[in-house]
């Protein structure tokens, strides 16, 4: 059957080249003009009709040539127009793909800043003051300990110096005394062995009155002092000191002196004498040498009229028994020893006594052993 041929007229074709025959009221708008957050559905995106329905009826020619060709052209044109528009829409509104997040590492980038450490809590004011006070106390304690140490060292050095000086002084004195002990011929340079005075006969004064004794003594005898004695059991009631002014005086011990002890009747019951050993010609003898070797006690008593055998007078074996030392325990300051005994005089027993004294005070001050004051005393009783 012959196909009908009529001229097709597209009701949507307005003759201005609109391919799908839409009026201007349905002109396509841009996505930005109506986008409200959801992708609009394109009327042309619907799936193909089920059952092979053909929508070309009424829009194209029934002829095999014109109808099929028009439908195919229309579909391709619509598809081509939709593709770029939907591609732009999806490109603008598509979310970027999430990239994997990797924690930063100090080994990946040395300049990558590390997270800040938490700020330290502020130190309370009382703790700061406490720490400062502890430092001050520690400093004071250290200084105090240092001062104690320095003071102890200085005190120890001072003590050592004093002990050394005292020891040297004692050693010097000991050496000088030892040298004198070893040299019996050593003499005082100022007196040598010259005898300057004589010892008066004391036994001849016993039983005389004061005036008679002074006349008997001569040698410029003058009374220098008197003293009353009131001691129970002591026959001496008055002491009289007589200076022999005509005799040469010693620069250290003075002039030779006579001592008279008077009883109640004014008679001499005790007579004594004192002089510097140098005036008697003994020089700078050591204490022990004067007693043991020179027999100074026996010889002086003999001159006084009391005959005592040599060797009858002895010193104690212990030197400390007649020696006095300074507070340091080594410096010799004095040697003093007394002796006594009995002897017959004209058939009558008489008691005698003697004292030898060496005073080193001036010698220690000057450092010259010759400045020692050496004095001898002898007495005889009725």
């Amino acid at each position: 059957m012959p196909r009908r041929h009529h001229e097709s007229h597209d009701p949507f074709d307005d003759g201005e080249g609109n391919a799908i025959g839409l009026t201007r009221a349905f002109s396509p708008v841009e996505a930005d003009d109506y986008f409200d957050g959801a992708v609009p559905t394109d009327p042309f995106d619907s799936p193909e009709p089920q059952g092979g329905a053909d929508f070309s009826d009424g829009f194209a020619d029934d002829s095999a040539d014109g109808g099929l060709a028009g439908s195919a052209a229309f579909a391709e044109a619509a598809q081509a127009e939709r593709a770029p528009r939907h591609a732009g829409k999806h490109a603008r509104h598509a979310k970027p793909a999430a990239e994997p997040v990797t924690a930063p590492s100090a080994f990946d980038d040395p300049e990558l800043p590390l997270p800040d450490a938490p700020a330290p809590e502020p130190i309370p004011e009382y703790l700061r003051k406490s720490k400062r006070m502890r430092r001050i106390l520690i400093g004071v304690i250290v200084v105090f300990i240092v001062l104690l140490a320095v003071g102890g060292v200085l005190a120890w050095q001072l003590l050592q110096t004093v002990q050394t000086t005292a020891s040297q002084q004692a050693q010097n004195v000991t050496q000088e005394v030892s040298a004198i002990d070893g040299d019996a011929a050593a003499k005082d340079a100022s007196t040598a062995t010259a005898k300057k005075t004589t010892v008066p006969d004391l036994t001849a004064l016993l039983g005389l009155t004061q005036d008679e004794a002074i006349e008997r003594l001569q040698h410029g005898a003058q009374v220098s002092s008197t003293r009353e004695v009131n001691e129970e059991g002591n026959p001496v009631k008055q002491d009289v000191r007589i200076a022999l002014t005509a005799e040469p005086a010693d620069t250290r011990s003075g002039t030779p002196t006579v001592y008279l002890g008077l009883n109640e009747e004014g008679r001499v019951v005790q007579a004594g004498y004192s002089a510097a050993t140098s005036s008697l010609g003994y020089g700078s003898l050591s204490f022990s040498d004067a007693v043991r070797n020179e027999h100074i006690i026996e010889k002086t008593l003999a001159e006084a009229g009391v005959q005592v055998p040599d060797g009858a007078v002895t010193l104690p074996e212990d030197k400390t028994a007649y020696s006095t030392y300074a507070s340091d325990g080594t410096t010799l300051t004095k040697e003093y020893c007394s002796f006594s005994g009995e002897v017959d005089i004209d058939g009558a027993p008489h008691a005698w006594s003697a004292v030898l004294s060496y005073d080193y005070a001036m010698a220690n001050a000057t450092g010259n052993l010759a400045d020692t004051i050496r004095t001898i005393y002898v007495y005889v009783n009725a």
Side-chain angles (χ1 to χ4, degrees):
M1 180 172 124
R3 293 185 181 183
R4 288 178 296 177
H5 180 76
H6 63 271
E7 187 171 345
S8 176
H9 176 72
D10 191 343
F12 297 98
D13 188 4
D14 58 354
E16 295 182 7
N18 192 330
I20 60 176
L22 295 178
T23 64
R24 290 189 180 271
F26 296 93
S27 297
V29 295
E30 296 296 329
D32 292 339
D33 295 338
Y34 64 87
F35 179 69
D36 56 359
V39 178
T41 304
D42 194 299
F44 297 100
D45 276 339
S46 59
E48 292 183 1
Q50 298 292 330
D54 186 7
F55 293 95
S56 61
D57 291 344
F59 293 96
D61 196 340
D62 290 337
S63 62
D65 297 333
L68 294 177
S71 297
F74 174 78
E76 290 177 3
Q79 185 68 24
E81 185 178 356
R82 287 197 305 269
R85 185 170 68 248
H86 288 291
K89 292 179 183 179
H90 292 292
R92 283 195 303 270
H93 299 290
K95 294 182 180 180
E99 296 181 359
V101 179
T102 304
S105 172
F107 297 99
D108 297 335
D109 187 355
E111 296 183 358
L112 183 64
L114 296 176
D116 294 336
E121 296 183 0
I123 300 176
E125 182 65 22
Y126 73 92
L127 287 180
R128 287 199 296 269
K129 291 183 179 179
S130 177
K131 289 182 179 180
R132 185 163 56 251
M133 184 60 66
R134 282 199 298 271
R135 294 194 198 99
I136 294 174
L137 290 177
I138 292 172
V140 171
I141 292 172
V142 171
V143 172
F144 183 70
I145 292 173
V146 171
L147 290 177
L148 284 179
V150 172
V153 172
L154 292 178
W156 183 81
Q157 290 179 347
L158 180 61
L159 179 63
Q160 292 296 318
T161 302
V162 171
Q163 290 180 348
T164 302
T165 302
S167 178
Q168 290 177 349
Q169 290 180 351
Q171 186 177 3
N172 291 338
V173 172
T174 302
Q175 289 176 350
E176 292 180 4
V177 172
S178 299
I180 292 173
D181 286 341
D183 186 6
K187 299 294 183 290
D188 190 339
S190 61
T191 60
T193 57
K195 188 176 176 62
K196 297 179 180 180
T197 187
T198 58
V199 181
D201 186 355
L202 298 179
T203 60
L205 301 178
L206 296 177
L208 301 178
T209 64
Q210 178 178 318
D211 293 338
E212 292 171 347
I214 291 175
E215 184 180 357
R216 182 71 179 264
L217 286 172
Q218 297 183 3
H219 298 284
Q222 293 181 2
V223 176
S224 59
S225 66
T226 60
R227 182 177 67 88
E228 296 297 327
V229 178
N230 187 14
E231 295 178 359
E232 185 178 357
N234 189 353
V236 175
K237 300 303 178 183
Q238 186 179 30
D239 281 335
V240 179
R241 180 174 291 186
I242 300 173
L244 304 178
T245 60
E247 295 293 322
D250 184 77
T251 57
R252 301 181 184 90
S253 59
T255 59
T257 302
V258 173
Y259 307 92
L260 299 178
L262 306 178
N263 61 10
E264 292 180 352
E265 290 80 16
R267 296 288 178 175
V268 177
V269 293
Q270 185 183 67
Y273 174 80
S274 70
T277 60
S278 59
S279 297
L280 299 175
Y282 290 99
S284 300
L285 297 173
S286 69
F287 193 87
S288 60
D289 186 47
V291 174
R292 291 171 179 162
N293 298 328
E294 292 297 322
H295 303 289
I296 188 173
I297 303 299
E298 295 94 330
K299 290 179 180 179
T300 303
L301 284 171
E303 288 188 54
V306 180
Q307 300 298 324
V308 177
D310 288 347
V313 177
T314 59
L315 277 175
E317 294 296 331
D318 185 4
K319 183 178 179 179
T320 60
Y322 57 88
S323 300
T324 303
Y325 295 90
S327 59
D328 59 12
T330 57
T331 302
L332 185 64
T333 59
K334 190 174 184 178
E335 287 180 297
Y336 180 97
C337 191
S338 60
F339 311 92
S340 61
E342 286 187 0
V343 66
D344 287 338
I345 300 175
D346 297 334
H350 292 269
W352 63 267
S353 63
V355 172
L356 184 63
S357 173
Y358 277 25
D359 189 347
Y360 296 100
M362 186 177 294
N364 290 334
T366 62
N368 186 1
L369 194 60
D371 291 331
T372 304
I373 299 175
R374 302 173 177 88
T375 307
I376 187 171
Y377 302 83
V378 292
Y379 295 86
V380 61
N381 296 338

